[in-house]
Amino acid sequence: MAEAIVPLIAILAIFIGMPWLFLHYRMKSKQNRSLSIEDERMLDDLHQAALRLEDRLQTIERIMSVDNPNWRHIAAGSPVGERLEDTRTADIRRLK
C-alpha cells in the first residue's frame, strides 16, 4: 500500500500541482501589470505639478526677457559665476 502512495503523490504533484502553481503566479503577474487607482492618482498629480512648473518657468522667462532681452545669450555663453558677476555689474551700473 505504501509503495503505491509515493508514485501517486509524485504523479499528482507533477500533473496537478505544478501547472496550478504556474497558472496561479502567471495570473498574479498579469494583475500587477496594470496601474492601481493610487498609481493613477499619483501620475495625475505629477502631471498637474509638471504643468504648473512649466507655466512658472514660462513666466520667469518672460520676466527675464523684459528685464534683459539678451539673457539667453549670456546664459548660453558663460559659466555660472561669470553670469552672476555680469548681472551684479549691470545692476551696479544701473544704480549709479
Side-chain angles (χ1 to χ4, degrees), residues 42-75:
M42 183 178 62
L43 281 175
D44 287 339
D45 291 343
L46 289 173
H47 179 70
Q48 294 300 322
L51 291 175
R52 286 192 310 269
L53 288 173
E54 183 179 10
D55 186 45
R56 289 176 183 177
L57 182 63
Q58 288 174 356
T59 302
I60 289 171
E61 286 179 347
R62 274 185 278 153
I63 292 169
M64 289 178 68
S65 292
V66 168
D67 187 41
N68 184 0
N70 295 326
W71 71 270
R72 290 180 195 263
H73 300 294
I74 294 169

Side-chain angles (χ1 to χ4, degrees), residues 17-33:
M18 296 295 278
W20 179 80
L21 279 174
F22 174 76
L23 293 173
H24 173 73
Y25 285 107
R26 184 173 174 205
M27 186 175 70
K28 281 202 174 262
S29 70
K30 282 186 178 182
Q31 287 175 348
N32 290 338
R33 285 185 187 166

Side-chain angles (χ1 to χ4, degrees), residues 63-71 74 83-96:
I63 292 169
M64 289 178 68
S65 292
V66 168
D67 187 41
N68 184 0
N70 295 326
W71 71 270
I74 294 169
R83 284 187 299 208
L84 291 175
E85 289 302 319
D86 290 342
T87 306
R88 289 183 193 138
T89 306
D91 289 342
I92 291 171
R93 287 182 194 153
R94 275 188 264 168
L95 292 174
K96 288 181 181 181

